[in-house]
Amino acid sequence: MSACPNAAATTVDTAAESADPCCAAPLPVLGRDVTVPLVTGGEVTYAALDYAASAPALQRVWDDVAAYAPYYGSVHRGAGYLSQLSTDLFENSRATVAEFLDCRPGDQVVFTRSTTDSLNLLAAVIPADCEVFVFETEHHASLLPWRDARVTYLNAPRTPEQAVATLERALADRTVTIEGGYGPALVCVTGASNVTGELWPVRELAAAAHAHGARIVLDAAQLAPHHPVSVRELDVDWVAFSGHKLYAPFGSGVLAGRADWLQDSEPYLAGGGASRKVARRADGGVDVEWHTTAARHEAGSPNVIGVYSIASACKALTEAGFDSLVARERHLIAKVREGLAEVPEVRVLSLFGDDAPRVGVISFVVEGWNSSHFAAALSAEYGIGVRDGLFCAHPLVRTLLGSDPQDPGECGAPEAAPGERSLNAIRVSFGAGTPDEHVERFVGAVKELVRDGAQWKYRTEDGRCVPDRG
């Protein structure tokens, strides 16, 4: 059944691309022509350089969603044409995501709200005696869900090899059961840091986990938008990611991987859709038979548009070709890093060193500047959107800044006045929709701000550094 009978499929326009992948045109994204006012007067095209927080929707995704929207209907069990059409689209989207991730036969694709939701779902289904191992370098979505498990937090490694060695030691030292073996264990690791952009040795960490009888879940929120992710090749047990970082910001996420723990647990949410059969007992209670498919953890009316948008993004990125996308992103990374290296006052944050492979996520601090003040000036005076704070990775940023764990500092809320030192950093991030002009404007603005200072006065209001218009 066709999802949108009267809508022609939108395709990625590659006509403008050069034979040189580094010179390929950025993928069209929604909002690419939006202009914003400058506090100094006039307007400028907005430079969206906060992809690591949420990437703009691909034009292809927006067009596909708009074409489907008139045909929207509630999925599963509906007798009407639109319900059946939407069910077909929903389940085909599941197959598209499984193909995008190169899932194994028997793997399940569960649709969630986000990476955070996916990892909380996994935390809810792990065996009661499971030990969890997680590096302090993780985003809070990976660091915090394991509230009912025994958790070992691993110190930040300074090389990929040290990461593998640290995990191997921790797994070898874990608790031995009464029977003389090890109980269940789970390793949670990012594929690419949301602070430094550095790629983690996922395949090697997966091999170490499996060698010690543990399983591994990959937080691919920052990896999937930039590099191909193969569940088979990486040999991970599960992978989680969000649509809003994959150019599909419509409120859905994914948890994909092994079915056994998902099938053996109680549903993440109890309700319609998760249940196969519900009947009253003679004693007045209720007996429930739950689904054994992904529906077991998808109670309630699912976000069909969010799910379809993820599938559309998966297709668009695959058709554009990750080889070309990666090459172009490396070109942008080099532009930014080379530009920042020309400013002695700038210190780029890194775990693994300058030569480590990375995605388009770079965090830095500027000597003599409050990071929130600097980010506010980039926005107000240059029309450039970056992020400042601790990036929901407080332990990692504190480690990279060399701070005491008790030093004050809060994600996105500076406690120091403009010009004073603060425990936060600035993050610039970009991807498949970023034109060269945006990163060139960013580098030029950094140099100008460091050399000449801000042209406007700023103050702190409701925890944010803002232009003083009084």
Side-chain angles (χ1 to χ4, degrees):
M1 182 180 292
S2 170
C4 310
N6 300 320
T10 304
T11 58
V12 178
D13 180 11
T14 58
E17 293 185 0
S18 162
D20 180 357
C22 293
C23 300
L27 299 186
V29 294
L30 211 62
R32 58 190 178 276
D33 298 322
V34 167
T35 59
V36 294
L38 300 180
V39 72
T40 50
E43 292 188 343
V44 67
T45 302
Y46 184 63
L49 296 177
D50 194 16
Y51 276 46
S54 198
L58 286 173
Q59 187 68 50
R60 153 75 173 270
V61 171
W62 179 256
D63 291 345
D64 283 352
V65 166
Y68 161 66
Y71 301 91
Y72 169 79
S74 183
V75 304
H76 300 143
R77 299 173 304 284
Y81 178 80
L82 296 190
S83 179
Q84 294 181 47
L85 184 149
S86 295
T87 298
D88 183 55
L89 179 142
F90 184 77
E91 294 303 334
N92 284 340
S93 295
R94 199 188 305 276
T96 296
V97 172
E99 181 179 1
F100 179 74
L101 295 173
D102 191 25
C103 288
R104 300 159 296 235
D107 282 346
Q108 286 189 348
V109 173
V110 181
F111 290 117
T112 66
R113 293 173 295 178
S114 61
T115 306
T116 300
D117 195 34
S118 295
L119 293 172
N120 273 271
L121 162 57
L122 188 59
V125 307
I126 61 176
D129 56 344
C130 187
E131 292 186 73
V132 175
F133 297 82
V134 57
F135 287 93
E136 68 171 356
T137 48
E138 295 294 317
H139 186 281
H140 294 172
S142 299
L143 197 70
L144 302 181
W146 322 103
R147 289 172 290 183
D148 297 326
R150 289 175 293 160
V151 185
T152 298
Y153 296 103
L154 307 174
N155 292 335
R158 287 298 181 169
T159 66
E161 294 78 16
Q162 188 180 22
V164 176
T166 297
L167 178 62
E168 287 181 328
R169 284 195 300 271
L171 290 172
D173 291 342
R174 72 185 193 270
T175 306
V176 177
T177 65
I178 296 175
E179 292 78 14
Y182 292 126
L186 177 68
V187 177
C188 182
V189 66
T190 187
S193 171
N194 76 302
V195 176
T196 68
E198 291 163 315
L199 298 178
W200 277 62
V202 177
R203 186 182 290 103
E204 292 80 3
L205 290 167
H210 293 153
H212 290 85
R215 299 187 182 188
I216 186 168
V217 57
L218 169 64
D219 173 356
Q222 300 296 340
L223 183 63
H226 303 273
H227 286 260
V229 175
S230 169
V231 169
R232 292 187 217 232
E233 290 186 10
L234 295 175
D235 197 22
V236 294
D237 298 281
W238 294 276
V239 60
F241 70 88
S242 294
H244 73 96
K245 298 188 195 302
L246 197 79
Y247 310 100
F250 294 91
S252 286
V254 169
L255 177 68
R258 295 179 61 157
D260 53 353
W261 284 4
L262 295 168
Q263 292 174 341
D264 293 343
S265 69
E266 291 294 304
Y268 181 45
L269 297 174
S275 55
R276 185 199 301 269
K277 179 181 177 182
V278 180
R280 290 293 299 274
R281 296 194 305 262
D283 63 4
V286 172
D287 282 329
V288 183
E289 180 183 341
W290 303 106
H291 279 293
T292 58
T293 63
R296 185 184 189 90
H297 299 290
E298 294 176 346
S301 295
N303 180 359
V304 183
I305 287 179
V307 165
Y308 180 46
S309 71
I310 290 179
S312 174
C314 291
K315 289 181 179 179
L317 294 174
T318 300
E319 291 170 10
F322 270 106
D323 287 346
S324 175
L325 296 175
V326 169
R328 186 171 190 283
E329 186 171 299
R330 286 174 178 161
H331 161 73
L332 297 178
I333 292 170
K335 272 181 176 282
V336 174
R337 288 181 59 82
E338 289 168 7
L340 293 180
E342 295 173 357
V343 185
E345 293 85 353
V346 169
R347 178 166 72 91
V348 174
L349 305 183
S350 176
L351 271 176
F352 299 154
D354 290 343
D355 296 330
R358 64 192 71 234
V359 299
V361 179
I362 298 169
S363 297
F364 63 98
V365 291
V366 183
E367 183 181 344
W369 282 81
N370 174 307
S371 292
S372 296
H373 182 198
F374 200 90
L378 285 172
S379 175
E381 300 178 25
Y382 299 91
I384 299 170
V386 297
R387 184 158 294 250
D388 64 277
L390 302 179
F391 317 124
C392 294
H394 294 192
L396 171 56
V397 179
R398 290 177 184 276
T399 294
L400 295 173
L401 293 178
S403 74
D404 185 275
Q406 302 306 315
D407 282 349
E410 187 175 344
C411 187
E415 296 178 348
E420 296 179 5
R421 179 185 180 276
S422 59
L423 181 59
N424 56 6
I426 306 151
R427 184 181 70 190
V428 57
S429 53
F430 40 87
T434 305
D436 282 41
E437 189 276 329
H438 287 185
V439 298
E440 290 165 357
R441 191 196 320 171
F442 165 76
V443 170
V446 170
K447 292 179 178 179
E448 194 169 279
L449 282 172
V450 172
R451 183 185 68 239
D452 302 331
Q455 300 179 53
W456 207 263
K457 290 184 179 180
Y458 295 81
R459 60 188 173 85
T460 299
E461 179 181 290
D462 297 328
R464 297 298 309 168
C465 193
V466 298
D468 187 346
R469 303 176 188 272

